Amino acid sequence: MDVAEARHGTPSSLMSIASIVVSMTAVAIGNGMMLAYVPFVLTRSEAPDWVPGAAVTAIAFGGLVGCVIAGPLIRRVGHARAFSCSMALVILAALMISLGVHPLLWVFARCLYGAAGNTNFIISQSWLNHASENHWRGKAMALFYMAYVIGLGAGAWLFGQIPAEGNLAPIITIFFTTVAILPIGLTRLPTPPAPAKVSIDIPMAWRNSPVAFVGVLAAGGLSMVVQGFTPIYAAANDVSQKDVAALMFVMQFGLMFIQYPMGALSDRIDRRIVLIATCTLIVAAGLAALSVSFANLILLMLVFALFAGAVETVYSIANAHANDRADPSDFVPLASTMLVAWSTAATIVPMLVTMLTPALGQRTFIYAAMAVAVCYAIFVLLRLGSRERVPPQFCESFELKSAQVPNAGALIEAEARSE
C-alpha cells in the first residue's frame, strides 16, 4: 500500500473518485435540462419580457450567496451531509418550477439552484482535490470537468425529446438529482478537511496578475450571457423545442474543440497573446451569430459552439495565468477572491443585459459579449509591455476548466499540495 492509500484508505486510482464524478454528472444532466427548459418556457409564456433574463441573473446571484454560505455549512456538518443538503435545495427548486409557470417563483427557484450549485462545486472539487494524488490530480479534475460538461449537453438534448408543456422536465431533473445523492451517500472515500474560509483580497489578486483577475471577471459575465441568453434568443425567434435543445447540446462541445488547442498553445507562448486571440475569436463568432439567420440552423449551431468554446477558454487560460504567478502563501485568498469575482461579474453582466434587452432587442447579449471581449483584449494588450512573461519552466501545465463550473475546489488545494 502506498502513501496515498495509507492516508485515504482507498485505492490510489481514478476509480476511487468515480462516485463523485458520477454524482455530479447526474446533477449536470438535470441542470442541462433546466438551462434549456426554463428560458424556453418563460420566453414562450405570457411572462414579462424581463423575466427570462432575470432567471439567468438569479442563478449567478445565488452562486454568489453559495460562495459565502458553503464554507460555514461544510465546517458545521461535513462534506457528505452538506452535499445532501445542497441536493435537497436543487430538488426544492425543481419542485417549485414543476408547480406551473409562476414567473417570480421561477426566478426565486433559479436563485436557490444557484446557491446550491456553487455549494455542490465547492464540495465535489475539494473532495476530488483531497482524494487524488499530485501526479494524477490534473487528470482527475479534467475528467470531472469533461463529465460535467457532457452531462450538461446530454440534459439539453434530453429536453428536446420530451414535451415542453406540463412539468415532465422538472420531474426528470428531480429524478437525476435524487440519483446523484446515492453514490455520495455510499462512497467509502473519507471526507476531506473543511475548505478554507472565503477571504477576499482584491489588492493581492491584482498584484498577482491584473490580466488574470480581470480575465476571471470577464469570463463570469461572458459565460452567463452566452450560456444563459442563447436559449432565450432562440425561443424568441420561434425556434422549435428540439432545435433549441440541439443548439444547447452542440454548444457544450465547443469547449473541447476550442479550449484544448488554445490551452495547449498557451503552454508554448505567452498566455496573454492567446487570451487576445481568444477574445478576437469571440468577436468573430459574435459577428457571425449576428449575420447567420435561424433559417441556416446547422451553421448557426456551429457558430454558437465556437462562441461558447471561446468564452470558456478565457476562463481556463486566465486561471492558468493566475497560477503561473501565484505565491503558494497567497493561493487560498487568491482562489477565494477569484471565485467571488467570477460570481459577481456573472451576476452584474446578465442583469445589465436584462435591463437593456427591451430597448436593444434579443441580440443584446451578443453585443454585450463582444463588448466585454473587446475591452478585455485591449486591457491585455496594454499589459503586454508592462510585465515580462513567466518563464515556461515555472508555468503550470494548462488544465481543462469550464466557466460553468467555477474553480471552487481550489479553496483547499493548498492543503492538497502540501501533502
Side-chain angles (χ1 to χ4, degrees):
M1 180 181 295
D2 62 18
V3 175
E5 288 184 64
R7 185 178 73 239
H8 300 300
T10 54
S12 175
S13 71
L14 285 172
M15 288 303 297
S16 65
I17 61 167
S19 57
I20 302 171
V21 175
V22 170
S23 285
M24 289 304 292
T25 302
V27 170
I29 294 172
N31 185 21
M33 176 171 289
M34 298 305 280
L35 283 173
Y37 172 78
V38 170
F40 181 84
V41 173
L42 285 177
T43 303
R44 296 292 180 90
S45 72
E46 297 179 357
D49 292 341
W50 58 268
V51 172
V56 175
T57 306
I59 297 175
F61 178 74
L64 184 59
V65 173
C67 294
V68 177
I69 66 173
L73 175 64
I74 295 169
R75 280 189 286 273
R76 181 178 178 84
V77 301
H79 283 68
R81 291 187 179 92
F83 186 86
S84 297
C85 292
S86 64
M87 289 296 99
L89 293 180
V90 174
I91 291 171
L92 284 174
L95 181 62
M96 291 178 190
I97 291 173
S98 73
L99 299 177
V101 182
H102 304 285
L104 292 180
L105 184 63
W106 279 34
V107 171
F108 174 74
R110 298 308 280 162
C111 182
L112 194 63
Y113 167 77
N118 257 16
T119 301
N120 295 339
F121 296 147
I122 291 175
I123 293 168
S124 58
Q125 292 176 42
S126 63
W127 215 334
L128 284 173
N129 276 327
H130 182 72
S132 55
E133 294 180 76
N134 289 337
H135 69 274
W136 57 271
R137 184 171 292 119
K139 292 181 181 178
M141 294 307 296
L143 174 64
F144 169 76
Y145 282 115
M146 186 72 70
Y148 192 88
V149 168
I150 291 174
L152 286 175
W157 175 84
L158 190 58
F159 166 66
Q161 313 308 309
I162 63 173
E165 299 77 16
N167 60 2
L168 186 57
I171 289 174
I172 293 175
T173 297
I174 290 172
F175 167 78
F176 278 106
T177 307
T178 305
V179 168
I181 299 173
L182 300 178
I184 291 294
L186 297 173
T187 186
R188 297 175 61 189
L189 281 176
T191 56
K197 182 180 180 181
V198 175
S199 54
I200 310 304
D201 192 343
I202 293 176
M204 180 276 300
W206 180 266
R207 286 193 305 271
N208 175 69
S209 173
V211 167
F213 178 68
V214 177
V216 169
L217 283 170
L222 285 167
S223 179
M224 288 306 295
V225 297
V226 173
Q227 296 287 348
F229 283 87
T230 296
I232 298 173
Y233 176 54
N237 282 274
D238 295 323
V239 176
S240 69
Q241 178 190 344
K242 284 193 174 184
D243 287 338
V244 170
L247 174 61
M248 297 295 290
F249 174 74
V250 170
M251 282 175 63
Q252 305 311 319
F253 289 90
L255 172 69
M256 304 174 198
F257 294 109
I258 304 300
Q259 188 174 147
Y260 270 124
M262 297 301 280
L265 182 63
S266 76
D267 282 339
R268 293 173 172 80
I269 66 174
D270 194 326
R271 296 198 202 276
R272 294 171 295 180
I273 295 175
V274 182
L275 283 168
I276 293 172
T278 303
C279 289
T280 304
L281 195 58
I282 292 172
V283 173
L287 290 172
L290 292 172
S291 59
V292 178
S293 73
F294 281 96
N296 196 346
L297 191 59
I298 299 298
L299 179 59
L300 195 64
M301 287 181 182
L302 295 177
V303 168
F304 272 96
L306 179 68
F307 205 7
V311 164
E312 301 293 320
T313 301
V314 171
Y315 179 76
S316 57
I317 296 179
N319 264 285
H321 190 63
N323 291 338
D324 291 344
R325 297 188 181 276
D327 186 277
S329 63
D330 291 332
F331 188 81
V332 172
L334 177 63
S336 299
T337 304
M338 291 297 200
L339 177 61
V340 173
W342 181 93
S343 298
T344 302
T347 302
I348 293 174
V349 177
M351 182 173 63
L352 292 175
V353 171
T354 300
M355 293 169 61
L356 293 173
T357 295
L360 301 180
Q362 293 295 336
R363 292 181 168 185
T364 302
F365 80 102
I366 301 176
Y367 299 129
M370 292 168 62
V372 170
V374 168
C375 290
Y376 182 51
I378 292 172
F379 176 78
V380 177
L381 186 62
L382 293 175
R383 293 292 306 176
L384 270 175
S386 63
R387 203 171 185 182
E388 293 294 326
R389 178 195 178 193
V390 175
Q393 63 269 27
F394 297 120
C395 291
E396 293 192 2
S397 296
F398 171 84
E399 293 180 0
L400 175 73
K401 292 185 184 295
S402 169
Q404 298 176 79
V405 190
N407 192 21
L411 297 183
I412 73 147
E413 194 164 325
E415 180 273 336
R417 290 183 175 190
S418 65
E419 293 169 350

